Amino acid sequence: MIIDPKNVPEITGSKYPQQFQSAVAGRVKKRLGNAAGLKNFGVNLVRLAPGSCSALRHWHTRQDELIYVLEGEVTLITNSGEQVLKPGMVAGFPAGDPDGHHLVNRSDADVVYLEIGDRTPGDSAEYPDDDLIAKANGNSWIFTRKNGEVYES
């Protein structure tokens, strides 16, 4: 199926509990994979405004992730530190590797990248810097504190 990204709706905001949503203010996603009818993996075209983050720093238990930078310079933050990624650079995050990661736009210009991930059922995401765990529940997520207490929606 051929799609025109200009016709794919923009998604802003986050499903994070309210107290964590400000970190991703300025992030806009277009779900290209969904628009193309893909079922086994997702592809998002993401634009990060200056000062915005891709997500809270996290890692997935069952799903692989890959990002490919198209425009701008973005800082990748992992357990081992920070690295600036430029257009054409790729970073991969294998499932089950507890190396929490996220992207932060510290530049004065927008950053655009592709975010690709599989849809293995039973996934969860852990957030090493925050009191947060996300558990896949069909096509959505349930967010809990690390002690298992569910956040109010």
Side-chain angles (χ1 to χ4, degrees):
M1 173 180 288
I2 297 172
I3 59 168
D4 182 344
K6 290 181 239 157
N7 298 328
V8 176
E10 292 184 343
I11 298 168
T12 59
S14 167
K15 294 180 181 175
Y16 286 146
Q18 184 64 38
Q19 60 265 45
F20 300 112
Q21 291 184 15
S22 63
V24 295
R27 179 190 73 189
V28 178
K29 290 187 179 192
K30 290 188 174 203
R31 294 188 173 146
L32 303 181
N34 288 3
L38 302 182
K39 295 184 181 7
N40 296 318
F41 66 95
V43 179
N44 297 322
L45 180 63
V46 184
R47 180 174 298 276
L48 288 183
S52 186
C53 296
S54 61
L56 298 173
R57 202 166 72 86
H58 69 287
W59 61 276
H60 288 270
T61 59
R62 302 196 69 186
Q63 295 180 2
D64 291 329
E65 290 183 280
L66 181 132
I67 60 109
Y68 177 73
V69 180
L70 300 170
E71 297 174 24
E73 292 186 4
V74 68
T75 302
L76 169 65
I77 301 173
T78 65
N79 291 351
S80 52
E82 299 184 4
Q83 180 178 358
V84 174
L85 303 179
K86 298 179 181 187
M89 294 179 81
V90 174
F93 311 102
D97 181 354
D99 188 2
H101 63 273
H102 74 155
L103 302 172
V104 179
N105 183 356
R106 293 186 175 149
S107 76
D108 294 332
D110 284 358
V111 171
V112 179
Y113 62 94
L114 289 176
E115 173 183 82
I116 303 158
D118 73 79
R119 294 179 174 164
T120 302
D123 188 36
S124 64
E126 299 197 19
Y127 298 80
D129 303 331
D130 299 286
D131 186 14
L132 186 64
I133 293 177
K135 296 180 183 178
N137 183 26
N139 290 331
S140 65
W141 294 89
I142 295 172
F143 293 96
T144 69
R145 297 182 183 280
K146 291 179 179 173
N147 69 5
E149 178 186 340
V150 176
Y151 279 99
E152 299 288 326
S153 28

